[in-house]
Amino acid sequence: MRTRHVLVSLIALVVTAAAGATGSASDFADHGPVVHTAGRFIVQATTARAAARDVARVGGRTDQDLAIIRAVSAHLTPAQVARLRSTAGVRVFEDRSLSTEGNLLTLLSPVTSPVVMLASSLQTPTDGQGTLLPSLLYQTNYPMLVGADTLQQAGITGKGVTIAVLDSGLWQDPSQNYAPRLLATRDVLNGGSGPVQGDPYGHGTHVTSIAAGGAMNVSGSYLSIAPQAKLVVVRAFDGTGAGRYADVIAGLNWIVANQKKYNIRVLNLSFGAAPQSYYWDDPLAQAVMAAWRAGIVVVAAAGNEGPAAMTIDVPGNVPYVITTGALTDNYTPYNASDDRLASFSSAGPTFEGFVKPELVSPGGHIVASMPSGSYLANIDPGSMLLTENLFTMSGTSMAAAVTSGVVALMLQSDPTLTPDAVKCRLLASSRPAVTSSGTLAYSVFQQGAGLINAVAAVNSSATGCANVGLNINADLAGTEHFGGPANEDAHGNYYIMNMAGSTWGTPQVADGYTWSQGYAWNQGYSWSEGYLWSQGYTWNKGYTWNKAYTWNKGYTWDKGYTWNKAVPWWNSSGSTVGSTTPASIETWVPNQ
């Protein structure tokens, strides 16, 4: 099997947080030509309007309203940047390139600029011996694996719930029945504001059809999770999967601004990048936090950098959101005994000590809709089934889309659920992988609460078990930030603090509450519905994060930044334990 590798480093823009007022049309107008030395930046002030006026004052040109983080994107010369950075209350950050895993240029040459990746991979679907597998068999497996087919038969199909997908666009395959359900589209790429015109890259189409495609197989079963959910599609990645930080934030800005108009309840983010700051200092993470606070359930991909610890991507490292890892059925869709965690699935804890991912969903060799003329279909034609316009990909992108669909089913069943309540019920109802002796087969830092269970989640009555101790308003205001219950011991092992029996050498250590690299990744385990998780589901309990760490000097991120400094971890005694982690490497992972 072919495996493609892409070096990942995160663009970085440190910003503070609360959403500000939207500026007037004149505030965001073109203020003149851009000289050839100008670059694109994000400028933050007390409000987006104030930021636009500051840009105009120095002669720059604004092009995007980023009110969700009290900022604008702007074209500025070095001299203009210097003047703005000397202005009290103004922060200026470079808007560097983002890229997806399908960027052909990054496949052919070394990556020198920071990038963000769509969290998926390409690989030809086989039975492991080279024999091509029937596509529809594997596409129909994931609704069955999570129990969505049972709910669909009972009339719970996501009807009345709107899912927003921020990705590379949407090809409207007639078989998916999007027309009556697609409420709006927005193309924010390169400062745009028009409708989405297809999906030249293909990734957005793939994840959208997993979450809410309307196609059926010959037996009349839906080939997606929430086939009657409504959709809003926002494009922020181009035809090669490349994009820019400002565009992604602009997309989030538009989604939150139009939340009530289109009843947007769920937001799928199937992309990510290696963190280079604490979550509260990252502009993408801040925008995602604002979406969660607005009442939108945000589902993020964990990333494909596993199985190593501390590999969760931004924005999946945001403690409030639902971060999804990937499971594979091991090419036996009707035999659950060999289902296993995908070895590429990123693992926690986060740098702030939060347990991530929250759960895992099917993300191995997922077959879903793809235009045959798309970029992905052309760079990996072996994964494209031309007769059916279907494409096979593995990744936490796909797993996140499954989770977004399940959330839509939950919200149809109970529209009163808040984002925290949705997260709580998903955690409480998930099924962890266990060994034959009944102990956890994978660490909580790898599988979270376990495999998502749509039926149990819809029927759950759990409350108050997610984001305990966190305060999103204080976080966004910058008055208080939080760390999670994970910590690192003197030997480099990660564990959960304040758990009964979590001392080294006790059964809890062998029971999956600590990090281990020793799991057999080709071995399947049972996914138990009867496992009792210790201390409920309060792993995201917040501690006041009272230890400082300088991730970089100043506000501009260094292209050559590597994880070569100790990260202090707060623990119950107030002391710190150093950790050194190298910059992340994103890879094309084989289908699993």
Side-chain angles (χ1 to χ4, degrees):
M1 287 192 173
R2 293 162 292 167
T3 303
R4 301 182 174 93
H5 301 268
V6 180
L7 175 66
V8 175
S9 107
L10 171 67
I11 147 186
L13 311 160
V14 180
V15 296
T16 56
T22 302
S24 67
S26 61
D27 290 327
F28 299 100
D30 186 328
H31 291 290
V34 180
V35 298
H36 71 281
T37 55
R40 198 182 192 200
F41 295 83
I42 291 177
V43 180
Q44 185 188 36
T46 54
T47 66
R49 178 180 300 169
R53 290 173 178 168
D54 285 323
V55 169
R57 176 177 53 81
V58 300
R61 187 187 73 173
T62 59
D63 63 353
Q64 282 178 306
D65 173 8
L66 307 180
I68 196 169
I69 57 169
R70 302 180 289 118
V72 296
S73 62
H75 296 273
L76 302 166
T77 66
Q80 291 166 345
V81 169
R83 288 181 61 192
L84 285 171
R85 283 184 171 152
S86 66
T87 303
V90 176
R91 305 177 77 184
V92 183
F93 315 100
E94 293 182 17
D95 178 33
R96 296 178 178 173
S97 299
L98 310 179
S99 178
T100 70
E101 289 186 355
N103 189 334
L104 185 59
L105 292 177
T106 62
L107 299 178
L108 298 178
S109 60
V111 177
T112 57
S113 61
V115 295
V116 158
M117 311 291 288
L118 292 176
S120 60
S121 69
L122 311 177
Q123 206 63 225
T124 304
T126 70
D127 60 1
Q129 323 238 320
T131 303
L132 193 66
L133 295 167
S135 63
L136 288 182
L137 173 65
Y138 288 91
Q139 189 173 9
T140 57
N141 176 46
Y142 62 86
M144 176 188 69
L145 185 59
V146 302
D149 59 335
T150 300
L151 294 173
Q152 292 166 4
Q153 293 164 14
I156 300 177
T157 57
K159 189 173 183 179
V161 178
T162 303
I163 302 173
V165 179
L166 176 56
D167 212 286
S168 62
L170 177 66
W171 169 60
Q172 296 191 48
D173 181 351
S175 70
Q176 301 294 340
N177 192 33
Y178 288 132
R181 300 184 292 120
L182 186 59
L183 302 183
T185 68
R186 185 80 163 188
D187 189 337
V188 298
L189 188 67
N190 297 323
S193 59
V196 171
Q197 302 290 339
D199 181 11
Y201 185 55
H203 188 275
T205 297
H206 202 268
V207 298
T208 302
S209 68
I210 292 169
M216 291 183 170
N217 63 16
V218 291
S219 66
S221 298
Y222 284 110
L223 307 181
S224 72
I225 304 297
Q228 293 185 336
K230 297 183 184 301
L231 286 164
V232 167
V233 172
V234 177
R235 183 186 181 212
F237 294 89
D238 70 13
T240 64
R244 302 184 71 86
Y245 231 58
D247 291 334
V248 174
I249 297 171
L252 290 165
N253 191 80
W254 187 88
I255 287 167
V256 172
N258 289 274
Q259 172 193 7
K260 292 182 179 179
K261 180 177 181 179
Y262 300 116
N263 189 32
I264 298 171
R265 301 296 307 277
V266 190
L267 171 57
N268 188 84
L269 303 178
S270 286
F271 54 84
Q276 285 190 344
S277 74
Y278 292 129
Y279 71 87
W280 57 82
D281 277 334
D282 183 278
L284 176 55
Q286 295 288 0
V288 166
M289 288 165 63
W292 186 273
R293 183 175 64 173
I296 300 174
V297 181
V298 181
V299 178
N304 296 341
E305 290 77 52
M310 298 185 76
T311 53
I312 299 295
D313 281 344
V314 179
N317 67 333
V318 173
Y320 302 93
V321 307
I322 299 165
T323 304
T324 306
L327 163 107
T328 175
D329 67 8
N330 212 22
Y331 295 98
T332 58
Y334 300 106
N335 177 12
S337 67
D338 63 353
D339 293 356
R340 58 183 172 82
L341 188 68
S343 61
F344 59 76
S345 187
S346 287
T350 69
F351 282 93
E352 302 81 16
F354 288 99
V355 176
K356 291 284 183 172
E358 270 78 20
L359 48 80
V360 295
S361 290
H365 57 271
I366 300 295
V367 180
S369 181
M370 178 77 73
S372 60
S374 67
Y375 184 93
L376 292 180
N378 280 279
I379 66 169
D380 195 358
S383 290
M384 186 73 205
L385 302 172
L386 294 173
T387 58
E388 302 173 70
N389 285 313
L390 296 172
F391 191 80
T392 303
M393 276 197 283
S394 291
T396 56
S397 276
M398 289 66 249
V402 171
T403 300
S404 292
V406 172
V407 172
L409 302 181
M410 296 173 67
L411 289 170
Q412 179 192 345
S413 178
D414 186 352
T416 68
L417 293 177
T418 64
D420 283 353
V422 167
K423 181 175 180 178
C424 173
R425 293 185 179 186
L426 282 173
L427 285 167
S429 59
S430 294
R431 300 167 290 169
V434 296
T435 66
S436 58
S437 61
T439 59
L440 290 177
Y442 304 109
S443 168
V444 294
F445 300 122
Q446 296 167 305
Q447 66 171 327
L451 174 61
I452 196 170
N453 185 334
V455 175
V458 165
N459 292 321
S460 175
S461 59
T463 59
C465 61
N467 296 340
V468 176
L470 304 181
N471 184 332
I472 197 167
N473 290 322
D475 225 338
L476 283 169
T479 59
E480 191 174 13
H481 301 304
F482 304 97
N487 212 321
E488 184 182 16
D489 79 339
H491 304 288
N493 299 303
Y494 302 101
Y495 66 99
I496 299 176
M497 297 184 291
N498 299 328
M499 283 185 59
S502 61
T503 307
W504 300 112
T506 68
Q508 289 288 2
V509 172
D511 202 20
Y513 291 103
T514 61
W515 174 257
S516 171
Q517 299 276 7
Y519 299 108
W521 295 104
N522 60 353
Q523 180 178 340
Y525 297 97
S526 298
W527 296 78
S528 170
E529 297 189 37
Y531 195 89
L532 296 177
W533 290 94
S534 176
Q535 296 205 359
Y537 308 94
T538 58
W539 300 322
N540 275 5
K541 179 178 180 180
Y543 295 93
T544 299
W545 197 257
N546 56 3
K547 296 294 181 180
Y549 176 68
T550 303
W551 295 77
N552 65 323
K553 301 297 183 182
Y555 301 132
T556 301
W557 290 77
D558 181 0
K559 286 185 179 181
Y561 186 82
T562 56
W563 298 107
N564 56 7
K565 296 183 180 179
V567 181
W569 289 77
W570 181 89
N571 62 28
S572 55
S573 66
S575 63
T576 60
V577 179
S579 171
T580 301
T581 307
S584 174
I585 299 294
E586 186 92 41
T587 63
W588 286 120
V589 292
N591 272 320
Q592 294 187 21

